[in-house]
């Protein structure tokens, strides 16, 4: 069903355009081309305005732009990525190819932003605790990616490297016992003109009203 949103999607700009074109960029990163630190700082300055649990702002961002440091991170990333893809290969071969490309060239990515949270959850943490903890930085990481896209930077958020969280903590000097690495964002200048919206399932396939429905159906009438 064509809606006003889908009809106008290709012509949208501003925030709507940013929200529909901020996607994982791997093939079109300018590998090896430096990114000015001021650009990263500007994006993070916007990111820290994101909502977070209790406004405690327990996040920390470690930015790696030293090629020697990135090389060390890339070694762990390649190993983790190979294991992940072997255990859980994407259904789309092009996605697998893009993931392997990033893994093979991560050492050439000019900037890696590691998002961390102060504290470490117990293994038996409840769903509420997990959601509250990790949910206190993901909005900021997303805001960072939106801001980067507005500055013609491509980004990819990844977590496979966390298989070696302790080793990466040693590389970056992160206090492992008291600080949790949550995700890493690879950042580089964007090659080419613009970014198209990623293919996504229609919202009607993932939406239900008032109760779980599989598959989603039309909204039920409101009670009188």
């Amino acid at each position: 069903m064509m809606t006003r949103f889908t009809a106008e999607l290709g012509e949208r700009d501003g925030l709507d355009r940013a929200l529909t074109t901020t996607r994982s960029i791997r093939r079109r990163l300018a590998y090896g081309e430096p990114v000015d630190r001021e650009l990263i700082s500007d994006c993070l300055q916007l990111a820290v305005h994101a909502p977070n649990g209790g406004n405690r702002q327990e996040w920390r961002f470690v930015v790696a732009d030293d090629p020697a440091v990135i090389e060390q991170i890339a070694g762990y990333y390649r190993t983790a990525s190979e294991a992940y893809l072997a255990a859980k290969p994407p259904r789309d071969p092009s996605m697998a190819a893009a993931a392997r490309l990033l893994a093979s060239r991560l050492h050439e990515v000019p900037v890696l932003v590691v998002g961390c949270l102060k504290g470490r959850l117990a293994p038996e943490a409840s769903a509420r605790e997990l959601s509250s903890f990790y949910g206190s930085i993901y909005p900021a990481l997303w805001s960072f990616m939106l801001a980067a896209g507005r500055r013609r930077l491509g980004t990819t958020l990844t977590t496979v490297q966390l298989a070696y969280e302790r080793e990466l903590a040693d590389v970056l000097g992160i206090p492992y016992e008291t600080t949790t690495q949550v995700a890493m964002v690879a950042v580089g200048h964007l090659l080419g003109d613009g970014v198209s919206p990623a293919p996504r399932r229609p919202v009607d396939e993932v939406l239900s009203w008032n109760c779980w429905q599989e598959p989603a159906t039309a909204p039920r009438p409101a009670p009188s």
Side-chain angles (χ1 to χ4, degrees):
M1 175 182 176
M2 180 66 71
T3 67
R4 180 178 179 182
F5 178 85
T6 53
E8 297 177 355
L9 183 59
E11 302 175 2
R12 288 172 177 258
D13 55 15
L15 180 59
D16 285 1
R17 184 69 183 172
L19 288 168
T20 53
T21 58
T22 301
R23 52 188 295 185
S24 296
I25 303 294
R26 302 178 183 93
R27 295 185 179 90
R28 292 178 55 195
L29 281 183
Y31 291 98
E33 182 180 335
V35 173
D36 194 300
R37 283 188 172 186
E38 187 174 356
L39 280 176
I40 302 299
S41 295
D42 285 351
C43 293
L44 286 172
Q45 184 61 61
L46 293 169
V48 297
H49 288 276
N52 60 100
N55 196 29
R56 290 185 292 272
Q57 303 177 58
E58 299 282 18
W59 46 44
R60 297 292 184 273
F61 303 92
V62 181
V63 181
D65 62 358
D66 182 333
V69 174
I70 292 174
E71 178 71 52
Q72 293 183 73
I73 297 172
Y76 290 113
Y77 187 88
R78 279 190 293 272
T79 302
S81 181
E82 289 168 6
Y84 178 81
L85 290 172
K88 193 176 181 180
R91 285 176 292 183
D92 183 347
S94 67
M95 292 294 296
R100 290 190 175 95
L101 173 66
L102 180 66
S104 68
R105 302 195 66 180
L106 194 75
H107 62 287
E108 299 177 72
V109 171
V111 176
L112 299 174
V113 177
V114 180
C116 306
L117 283 169
K118 293 178 66 178
R120 185 165 290 280
L121 292 175
E124 65 276 12
S126 67
R128 179 194 62 78
E129 291 170 320
L130 289 166
S131 182
S132 176
F133 185 74
Y134 291 109
S136 288
I137 191 170
Y138 270 111
L141 291 170
W142 176 235
S143 291
F144 171 81
M145 294 168 69
L146 286 170
R150 298 282 287 183
R151 289 157 176 77
R152 288 197 53 78
L153 297 173
T155 58
T156 297
L157 185 146
T158 180
T159 59
V160 296
Q161 74 285 347
L162 295 177
Y164 294 96
E165 185 191 359
R166 187 180 289 273
E167 291 83 355
L168 294 176
D170 290 340
V171 170
L172 295 168
I174 297 170
Y176 177 84
E177 301 299 335
T178 59
T179 304
T180 302
Q181 296 171 56
V182 176
M184 181 173 74
V185 182
V187 188
H189 288 289
L190 181 66
L191 297 174
D193 297 326
V195 179
S196 299
R200 292 290 186 264
R201 295 170 61 185
V203 71
D204 287 346
E205 293 184 10
V206 296
L207 167 69
S208 59
W209 299 84
N210 299 316
C211 68
W212 182 275
Q213 298 168 345
E214 185 64 48
T217 59
R220 297 180 177 183
S224 57

